[in-house]
């Protein structure tokens, strides 16, 4: 349809100023133009030779006047043929990497493009606790916008502008995007499933504590689940801190950067001699980045992983993201009536693995369980946060209402699992007086523990500021 093509071409001109293809594609485009010109010249030459050979020279002269005129006419005809045949190919190549709206709710899914450095594009940060379905979120967002979503940890030399995902302020995330972003979208997931998914990612990356180690294991991400022994040890050692961090991560953004860690706890992990703040420390300070590097850390939308991946309500959840991104500077967004199409096409055509691909190798996700005592704690945390964000100043807050609706679903799911466990209690393991020490040794062996040992901190340039936290032990 001419009108649809005009809108598509106009949109592509905007995208072409903002987005860059891969080096391979850029190189092929540069080669295409000289190849077309060479082809036109060859066609002209061959046609001229043929005419000269088979048509009497005096007749050619009468028909064209001069040989130069003949050459110009033949080249013009050849150029017309090449443009009519190769032109659409060039246009399709230019648009190939963009999710295309075809009208009437139809679309064509294509891969996203990088944002050009220096572009004045409105920036959005997607934040979540680790293991909360960020991969599905960025895949759907790329399908929605045609714009690449950057990672806070990887490709540190690449400017983090436009769309960025992070786990900050959890210690697995970093603020690597300076002051280049403007708003936040908070992604949440039931902690009952977020924590096992987080451990699985750690396991795939071999518990990497440096970016060099993590880079080496990237091809293994979303391909397998964790060793069961690692899960049990990590679960039992980290459970109390991680269920607390799950809640503090939400509080951080809902409170516009409520800093729950002590000064100089640069990893924000609460390890000795530092600790996390509690109610007696209120009011907590505001995180420097939320105060100076972004307009506000308060989320413009709450996105549920469970709802986003659901085939019935998934497109509706994706529309939340669309509403926050639409009409922002240099941001392209699929029209609402095309979102159902692009949501389904992203699931089918996106080439990158996601959490479901882990089930192909090893145990299913349902094999990674908590103890009954731990399930009670998860339920208590969910009830605590449901009550917190449904009363007082949060009672009529749109984002808080969204949180509470999801918490209620989580509580129901956790309670159903608890009921099953109470009916069929899991076997109790034999007492082990050394179990706690074994967990500490295991965690240290993974490079995750003892991050603030006295010897380490003494060599960090902050010793005079924190030495009062250490004692002779």
């Amino acid at each position: 349809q001419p009108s649809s093509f005009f809108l598509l071409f106009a949109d592509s001109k905007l995208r072409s100023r903002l987005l860059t293809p891969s080096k391979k594609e850029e190189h092929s485009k540069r080669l295409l133009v000289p190849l077309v010109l060479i082809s036109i010249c060859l066609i002209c030459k061959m046609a001229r030779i043929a005419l000269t050979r088979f048509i009497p020279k005096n007749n050619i002269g009468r028909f064209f006047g001069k040989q130069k005129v003949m050459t110009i006419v033949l080249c013009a005809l050849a150029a017309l043929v090449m443009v009519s045949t190769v032109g659409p190919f060039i246009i399709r190549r230019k648009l190939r990497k963009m999710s295309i709206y075809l009208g009437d709710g139809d679309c064509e899914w294509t891969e996203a493009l990088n944002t050009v450095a220096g572009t004045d594009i409105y920036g959005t940060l997607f934040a979540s606790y680790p293991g909360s379905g960020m991969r599905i979120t960025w895949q759907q967002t790329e399908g929605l916008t045609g714009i690449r979503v950057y990672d806070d940890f990887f490709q540190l030399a690449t400017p983090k502008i436009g769309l960025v995902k992070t786990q900050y302020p959890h210690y697995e995330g970093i603020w690597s995007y300076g002051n280049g972003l403007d708003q936040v979208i908070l992604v949440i997931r039931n902690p009952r499933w977020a924590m096992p998914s987080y451990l699985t990612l750690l396991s795939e990356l071999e518990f990497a504590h440096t970016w060099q180690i993590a880079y080496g294991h990237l091809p293994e991400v979303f391909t397998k689940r964790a060793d069961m022994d690692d899960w049990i040890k990590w679960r039992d050692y980290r459970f109390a801190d991680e269920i607390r961090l799950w809640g503090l991560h939400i509080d951080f953004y809902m409170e516009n950067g409520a800093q729950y860690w002590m000064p100089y706890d640069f990893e924000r992990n609460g390890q000795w001699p530092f600790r996390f703040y509690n109610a007696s420390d209120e009011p907590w300070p505001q995180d420097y980045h939320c105060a100076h590097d972004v307009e506000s850390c308060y989320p413009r939308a709450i996105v549920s992983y469970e709802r986003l991946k659901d085939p019935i309500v998934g497109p509706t959840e994706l529309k939340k993201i669309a509403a926050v991104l639409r009409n922002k500077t240099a941001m392209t967004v699929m029209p609402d009536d095309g979102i159902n199409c692009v949501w389904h096409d992203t699931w089918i055509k996106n080439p990158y693995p996601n959490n479901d691909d882990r089930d192909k190798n090893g145990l299913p996700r349902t094999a990674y369980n908590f103890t009954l005592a731990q399930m009670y704690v998860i339920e208590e945390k969910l009830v605590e946060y449901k009550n917190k964000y449904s009363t007082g100043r949060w009672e009529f807050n749109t984002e808080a209402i969204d949180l509470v609706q999801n918490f209620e679903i989580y509580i129901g799911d956790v309670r159903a699992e608890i009921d099953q466990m109470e009916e069929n209690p899991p076997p109790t393991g034999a007492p082990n007086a050394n179990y706690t020490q074994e967990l500490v040794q295991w965690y240290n062996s993974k490079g995750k523990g003892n991050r603030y040992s006295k010897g380490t901190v003494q060599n960090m340039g902050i010793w005079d500021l924190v030495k009062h936290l250490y004692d002779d032990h």
Side-chain angles (χ1 to χ4, degrees):
Q1 299 177 5
S3 58
S4 298
F5 177 81
F6 175 77
L7 292 173
L8 180 61
F9 180 75
D11 189 50
S12 73
K13 296 202 69 161
L14 172 61
R15 289 173 180 265
S16 68
R17 294 197 301 270
L18 303 177
L19 309 173
T20 55
S22 65
K23 291 183 178 179
K24 182 178 179 181
E25 185 171 338
E26 192 67 44
H27 182 64
S28 65
K29 284 183 178 179
R30 292 195 186 109
L31 288 176
L32 191 58
V33 174
L35 286 174
V36 170
L37 294 175
I38 292 171
S39 300
I40 291 173
C41 292
L42 287 175
I43 292 173
C44 290
K45 185 68 175 176
M46 292 172 64
R48 183 178 177 188
I49 292 172
L51 289 171
T52 304
R53 181 168 181 175
F54 295 108
I55 300 175
K57 193 169 184 179
N58 58 342
N59 290 340
I60 293 175
R62 293 194 196 99
F63 190 77
F64 291 102
K66 294 182 180 180
Q67 287 192 350
K68 287 184 179 179
V69 175
M70 178 184 72
T71 302
I72 292 172
V73 172
L74 289 173
C75 287
L77 290 172
L80 182 62
V81 172
M82 291 299 291
V83 168
S84 63
T85 55
V86 179
F89 169 74
I90 296 175
I91 292 174
R92 286 188 65 83
R93 279 189 62 84
K94 189 172 186 62
L95 300 178
R96 183 176 61 84
K97 292 250 178 182
M98 304 172 191
S99 290
I100 304 169
Y101 176 61
L102 302 177
D104 298 325
D106 199 7
C107 69
E108 179 183 341
W109 183 93
T110 50
E111 291 187 31
L113 296 172
N114 294 327
T115 308
V116 176
T119 299
D120 183 22
I121 184 172
Y122 198 88
T124 301
L125 181 67
F126 291 82
S128 73
Y129 172 86
S132 295
M134 185 59 77
R135 175 157 285 230
I136 295 298
T137 305
W138 70 252
Q139 288 175 351
Q140 287 291 344
T141 301
E142 287 188 350
L144 177 72
T145 64
I147 299 174
R148 185 78 64 203
V149 178
Y150 292 108
D151 186 273
D152 64 344
F153 192 72
F154 297 111
Q155 299 174 320
L156 294 179
T158 303
K160 303 304 171 69
I161 58 175
L163 304 173
V164 180
K165 61 186 178 73
T166 189
Q167 294 164 347
Y168 185 89
H170 190 279
Y171 57 86
E172 296 292 353
I174 58 175
W175 193 286
S176 60
Y177 23 90
N179 60 359
L181 302 178
D182 303 284
Q183 63 181 359
V184 173
I185 293 176
L186 181 62
V187 182
I188 64 169
R189 185 183 186 185
N190 189 337
R192 175 2 187 155
W193 299 108
M195 282 191 278
S197 184
Y198 169 30
L199 183 274
T200 293
L201 182 59
L202 286 177
S203 178
E204 289 169 329
L205 295 175
E206 295 294 331
F207 292 85
H209 50 86
T210 68
W211 67 266
Q212 293 95 334
I213 297 174
Y215 270 45
H217 294 283
L218 274 181
E220 301 169 35
V221 171
F222 290 91
T223 62
K224 57 185 178 181
R225 298 201 183 274
D227 179 83
M228 183 56 68
D229 185 59
D230 282 347
W231 158 244
I232 292 173
K233 290 178 178 177
W234 183 88
R235 176 198 71 186
D236 292 349
Y237 185 73
R238 290 296 306 166
F239 176 77
D241 280 341
E242 292 301 333
I243 189 60
R244 186 178 181 188
L245 283 169
W246 176 87
L248 289 173
H249 193 276
I250 294 172
D251 291 337
F252 176 86
Y253 286 100
M254 292 296 288
E255 298 280 1
N256 191 22
Q259 181 179 311
Y260 54 79
W261 61 94
M262 295 174 64
Y264 306 109
D265 180 2
F266 58 90
E267 289 194 347
R268 307 175 303 281
N269 62 19
Q271 284 189 15
W272 183 89
F274 303 106
R275 63 176 176 82
F276 295 134
Y277 287 139
N278 53 44
S280 65
D281 300 305
E282 293 179 348
W284 299 350
Q286 185 181 27
D287 177 56
Y288 175 88
H289 300 295
C290 293
H292 301 283
D293 289 338
V294 67
E295 182 178 322
S296 173
C297 280
Y298 180 82
R300 295 290 306 280
I302 305 296
V303 174
S304 159
Y305 164 75
E306 290 85 1
R307 290 178 60 85
L308 185 61
K309 72 189 294 288
D310 185 272
I312 304 299
V313 299
T316 300
E317 198 74 3
L318 186 57
K319 287 181 180 179
K320 285 187 186 177
I321 299 176
V324 173
L325 300 181
R326 189 171 286 121
N327 299 324
K328 297 300 188 294
T329 304
M331 187 62 58
T332 54
V333 181
M334 178 72 65
D336 269 0
D337 68 337
I339 288 179
N340 185 70
C341 172
V342 81
W343 184 94
H344 286 90
D345 270 16
T346 297
W347 275 106
I348 296 169
K349 299 177 181 179
N350 191 293
Y352 303 103
N354 58 52
N355 191 46
D356 293 342
D357 292 289
R358 288 168 168 157
D359 289 334
K360 300 173 184 177
N361 299 297
L363 296 171
R365 72 186 186 105
T366 52
Y368 297 82
N369 297 315
F370 291 91
T371 66
L372 185 57
Q374 290 167 343
M375 289 295 290
Y376 288 143
V377 174
I378 293 174
E379 183 181 43
E380 290 170 2
K381 178 62 68 174
L382 289 168
V383 171
E384 173 193 345
Y385 271 69
K386 176 200 165 201
N387 292 338
K388 174 179 180 177
Y389 285 105
S390 60
T391 57
R393 64 191 177 96
W394 299 110
E395 186 174 0
F396 301 107
N397 178 280
T398 301
E399 285 69 42
I401 291 171
D402 217 346
L403 282 174
V404 169
Q405 289 175 346
N406 284 284
F407 294 160
E408 289 174 341
I409 295 172
Y410 298 166
I411 291 169
D413 291 343
V414 169
R415 172 40 57 181
E417 188 171 350
I418 288 174
D419 290 342
Q420 291 181 350
M421 295 176 72
E422 290 175 336
E423 291 178 7
N424 300 287
T428 303
N432 181 356
N434 299 320
Y435 187 56
T436 300
Q437 186 58 34
E438 291 173 359
L439 293 179
V440 172
Q441 293 174 352
W442 172 84
Y443 197 65
N444 287 343
S445 73
K446 298 297 184 181
K448 293 289 186 178
N450 204 26
R451 304 289 285 173
Y452 295 135
S453 66
K454 186 174 182 179
T456 299
V457 176
Q458 282 177 325
N459 296 318
M460 293 178 59
I462 61 171
W463 176 247
D464 288 340
L465 300 171
V466 300
K467 63 183 180 182
H468 64 282
L469 300 174
Y470 292 78
D471 56 29
D472 293 338
H473 301 289

